[in-house]
């Protein structure tokens, strides 16, 4: 035996042992003759492709196991490698018993003959189904995360340890005016006005040096800057993470512009309500004083008229002067009574500026004031508002004053109740009137309370003034409606009032 044949046999033996080893690790081997398209594969390759043992190996059988799109990619890759050289590396899916398909990766090298012509593709099949499932799960999670980032109202920005933006959510695009493509790669300081813009890099450098978190994990209100240069208040929360030994910071930004406008409007509304409440209280007092003063003024006038008659038979030379003075005094007493009556008529009518208002809007704004702290008291709020019974002719601030008073009374009445539920509803009770209802599950009324409930200075509270409900009823009656109270089935109190309805928009 010649040395060359011995060496060839030894090489064949080593190759066979290597093939057996890799087959033992679940790696299939294959060889394709590029000229004849004859395909050979190992038993492991046959199993990976899902081919029965009694089926002979063939190129057409291999292609039949692939989806049409995968088939085109595989044939295209074989043609490219045959003509241009290089490596063959293609992943595809073959059918399996579960019906979901199994991912296979085919890798091969080009074998040429002595003349340099491409003769064979010889390579391996790898089961990459587990890796593909992980990859698909990661892709699904990434898609889910991007979907969340596109829908959450808060802007999300990720920066590296040097302040360079790495992620810029859709909400951030809308808020700051920069597109994601434009923002990524820029320093986050472009989103800040001075002096924060200049100082931000030094803040990051200090953190890297001292590890002092400063605002990490602590939300605070700062000022942001849009692309057009305008600024706005925002709430900023920052979290930190580390990847490959490098720090990254995630900022969540909430625009507070509308929130601050709402707070300012609520403060303004509260001031208006307090002002109107004082004016209405003064009107109630003026009405009460007018009623009381009319009686003594009428008595003064009567006494003067009586004195005038007593002087009729007197011979005193000053009698004419005294009679004249009494007549003038009586006239002035009558004039004072008329002035007071006009004042009482004015305040009792409650002259106000009435407009077409949305009752549901009035309830909403009044609830923001009167129901503050309701959730902390575990009060369940239920608004059952009929949109077809919404437009009323009313003075906005005065009706909100009535609602706020009823809401606050309800919360106080339920402070010691085990069940705490507040229901606000509206309905059309006639063609020209709309009724509003405020019901609670508080302590309700004693039998002797309801008849006196709306009287001035009558109260069931230890510290109450007894003018709130009286003023409220005066406001409702000045609007052409009426107000009353009753006990409800839950044992609490129900207040109702009516307002003129209007269909004007």
């Amino acid at each position: 035996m010649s040395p060359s044949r011995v060496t060839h046999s030894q090489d064949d033996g080593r190759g066979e042992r290597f093939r057996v080893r890799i087959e033992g690790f679940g790696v299939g081997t294959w060889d394709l003759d590029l000229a004849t398209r004859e395909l050979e594969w190992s038993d492991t390759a046959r199993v990976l492709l899902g081919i029965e043992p009694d089926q002979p190996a063939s190129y057409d059988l291999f292609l039949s196991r692939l989806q049409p799109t995968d088939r085109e990619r595989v044939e295209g890759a074989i043609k490219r490698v045959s003509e241009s050289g290089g490596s063959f590396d293609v992943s595809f899916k073959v059918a399996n018993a579960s019906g979901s398909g199994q991912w296979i990766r085919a890798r091969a090298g080009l074998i040429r003959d002595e003349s340099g012509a491409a003769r064979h593709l010889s390579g391996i099949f790898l089961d990459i189904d587990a890796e593909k499932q992980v990859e698909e799960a990661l892709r699904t999670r990434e898609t889910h995360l991007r979907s969340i980032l596109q829908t959450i109202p808060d802007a999300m920005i990720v920066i590296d340890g040097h302040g360079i933006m790495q992620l810029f959510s859709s909400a951030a695009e809308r808020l700051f005016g920069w597109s994601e493509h434009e923002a990524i790669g820029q320093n986050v300081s472009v989103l800040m006005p001075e002096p924060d813009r200049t100082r931000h890099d030094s803040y990051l450098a200090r953190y890297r040096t001292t590890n002092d978190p400063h605002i990490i994990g602590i939300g605070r209100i700062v000022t942001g800057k849009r692309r057009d240069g305008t600024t706005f208040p925002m709430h900023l929360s920052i979290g930190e993470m580390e990847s490959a030994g490098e720090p990254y910071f995630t900022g969540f930004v909430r625009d507070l512009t509308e929130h601050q406008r709402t707070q300012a409007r609520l403060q303004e509304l509260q001031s208006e309500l307090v002002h109107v409440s004082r004016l209405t209280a003064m009107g109630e007092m003026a009405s009460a004083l007018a009623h009381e003063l009319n009686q003594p003024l009428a008595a003064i006038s009567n006494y003067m008229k009586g004195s005038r008659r007593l002087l009729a038979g007197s011979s005193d030379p000053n009698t004419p002067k005294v009679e004249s003075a009494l007549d003038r005094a009586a006239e002035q007493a009558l004039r004072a009574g008329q002035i007071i009556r006009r004042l009482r008529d004015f305040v009792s009518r409650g002259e106000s500026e009435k407009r077409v208002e949305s009752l549901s809007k009035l309830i909403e704004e009044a609830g923001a004031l009167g129901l503050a702290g309701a959730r902390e008291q575990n009060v369940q709020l239920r608004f059952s508002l009929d949109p077809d019974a919404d437009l009323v002719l009313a003075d906005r601030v005065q009706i909100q004053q009535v609602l706020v008073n009823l809401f606050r009374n309800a919360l106080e009445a339920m402070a010691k109740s085990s069940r705490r539920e507040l229901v606000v509803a509206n309905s059309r009770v006639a063609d020209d009137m709309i009724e509003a209802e405020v019901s609670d599950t508080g302590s309700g009324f004693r039998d002797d309370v309801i008849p006196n409930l709306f009287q001035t200075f009558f109260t069931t509270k230890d510290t109450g003034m007894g003018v709130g409900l009286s003023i409220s009823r005066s406001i409702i009656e000045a609007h052409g409606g009426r107000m009353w109270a009753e006990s409800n089935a839950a044992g609490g109190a129900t207040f109702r009032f009516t307002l003129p309805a209007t269909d004007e928009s």
Side-chain angles (χ1 to χ4, degrees), residues 198-214:
T198 302
R199 297 173 180 171
H200 187 259
D201 285 346
S202 64
Y203 295 157
L204 284 175
R206 181 182 64 183
Y207 175 72
R208 289 196 301 269
T209 302
T210 64
N211 248 6
D212 179 11
H214 198 47

Side-chain angles (χ1 to χ4, degrees), residues 351-383:
E351 301 282 341
S352 60
E353 185 177 2
K354 299 181 181 67
R355 297 179 181 176
V356 176
E357 300 284 355
S358 165
L359 182 58
S360 60
K361 186 68 174 177
L362 297 179
I363 291 172
E364 177 185 351
E365 292 183 355
L369 295 174
L371 298 175
R375 297 195 184 280
E376 288 76 9
Q377 299 177 30
N378 296 321
V379 176
Q380 293 183 353
L381 306 177
R382 185 154 55 89
F383 292 82

Side-chain angles (χ1 to χ4, degrees), residues 456-473:
T456 307
F457 306 124
F458 177 85
T459 180
T460 59
K461 305 177 186 177
D462 295 337
T463 58
M465 290 287 292
V467 295
L469 290 176
S470 174
I471 293 172
S472 296
R473 187 176 64 174

